[in-house]
Amino acid sequence: FNSLTAQPGNRMALGLLLLAASSLAATPPPRGTRVNPPSNIRTASTHAKRRMIDFGRIPRREAMGTGLALSGALGMRVARGDEIMKYREITNAQWREKLTPEQYFILRERGTERPFSSPLYKEKRKGTFYCAGCKTPLFDSKAKFDSGTGWPSFYDALPGVKVKGGGLATLLGLSGDELECRTCGGHLGDRFNDGILWSTPTGLRYCIDGYALKFESVE
């Protein structure tokens, strides 16, 4: 059998040989004979017992801590959902009042700014880039690099960035994945898989419209 296991394509053949050998070696017991299952086989009853939790054995403090952690996580998810709904219910007229014309054009109308037009293109300080519409954290300054394209570029994103789309054209580098703010749904830019041209650690390039962002420095 060693020669078979050495070849991945022979795994099925090995399994058939082992099955045939076990069927020939096993002698079925006479009808009516009670057969006890092996100790390493769980029956339906033992499986059900193992799935049951004996809450009496759980220390009181540990049980309380687990309950608080679960309720806290659930509360955070509910609050996050409420925040998203709040921004998704904002009307276009309200967005126009809230945003500048450049921000509205990009975030709400999915426009693209002129290259080299954003002041954030040359931003090199340490800090965080936020969504200009809802202040969701989107990018860390550590991931920013100079692509020479005229738009702020990053090789990685924070969880606040949502990647949409994808397909053969994206894989071939002919188009990018659209990027949105996960909270307010505002358009941010596109993600390309041509980061290898700049030797980025992820092989990706997040090409972002600077007017869709706000920057807060930690320096």
Side-chain angles (χ1 to χ4, degrees):
F1 294 140
N2 292 334
S3 61
L4 288 175
T5 56
Q7 301 294 331
N10 291 326
R11 288 181 181 177
M12 182 178 293
L14 175 60
L16 293 175
L17 288 174
L18 292 175
L19 179 62
S22 62
S23 62
L24 291 175
T27 303
R31 291 178 61 86
T33 302
R34 181 181 179 87
V35 180
N36 294 323
S39 58
N40 63 335
I41 301 298
R42 289 186 295 172
T43 62
S45 60
T46 58
H47 181 68
K49 291 179 181 179
R50 289 174 65 92
R51 292 183 60 184
M52 294 178 63
I53 300 177
D54 187 357
F55 290 98
R57 292 188 176 184
I58 300 179
R60 192 171 185 177
R61 291 184 179 179
E62 183 177 340
M64 291 178 63
T66 303
L68 290 174
L70 291 175
S71 62
L74 180 60
M76 290 178 62
R77 294 194 63 177
V78 172
R80 175 65 176 165
D82 291 342
E83 183 181 11
I84 292 176
M85 288 299 298
K86 178 183 70 174
Y87 282 103
R88 299 302 172 93
E89 292 175 353
I90 296 179
T91 64
N92 289 333
Q94 291 172 325
W95 277 120
R96 286 185 182 275
E97 295 179 0
K98 179 181 178 64
L99 303 173
T100 66
E102 294 85 0
Q103 292 171 342
Y104 183 86
F105 173 64
I106 294 168
L107 288 169
R108 311 317 306 175
E109 295 184 336
R110 284 171 162 69
T112 302
E113 67 191 18
R114 291 182 294 104
F116 304 100
S117 63
S118 169
L120 294 181
Y121 173 68
K122 295 183 178 181
E123 181 59 67
K124 296 182 179 180
R125 292 175 295 172
K126 294 181 181 179
T128 303
F129 293 85
Y130 297 85
C131 174
C134 63
K135 208 177 180 181
T136 296
L138 301 176
F139 298 96
D140 192 305
S141 61
K142 296 178 181 179
K144 192 174 187 291
F145 69 98
D146 186 5
S147 64
T149 59
W151 291 279
S153 299
F154 305 84
Y155 61 77
D156 203 358
L158 298 177
V161 176
K162 179 180 179 180
V163 181
K164 293 185 62 178
L168 181 59
T170 300
L171 294 175
L172 295 177
L174 301 178
S175 64
D177 292 318
E178 182 184 359
L179 302 175
E180 283 187 354
C181 172
R182 194 174 294 275
T183 302
C184 68
H187 173 75
L188 303 173
D190 300 278
R191 187 185 70 173
F192 300 91
N193 62 355
D194 58 1
I196 190 174
L197 300 176
W198 294 269
S199 301
T200 64
T202 60
L204 301 172
R205 174 172 61 95
Y206 291 77
C207 185
I208 307 302
D209 292 285
Y211 285 105
L213 306 175
K214 284 188 176 180
F215 177 73
E216 289 189 7
S217 174
V218 296
E219 295 183 357

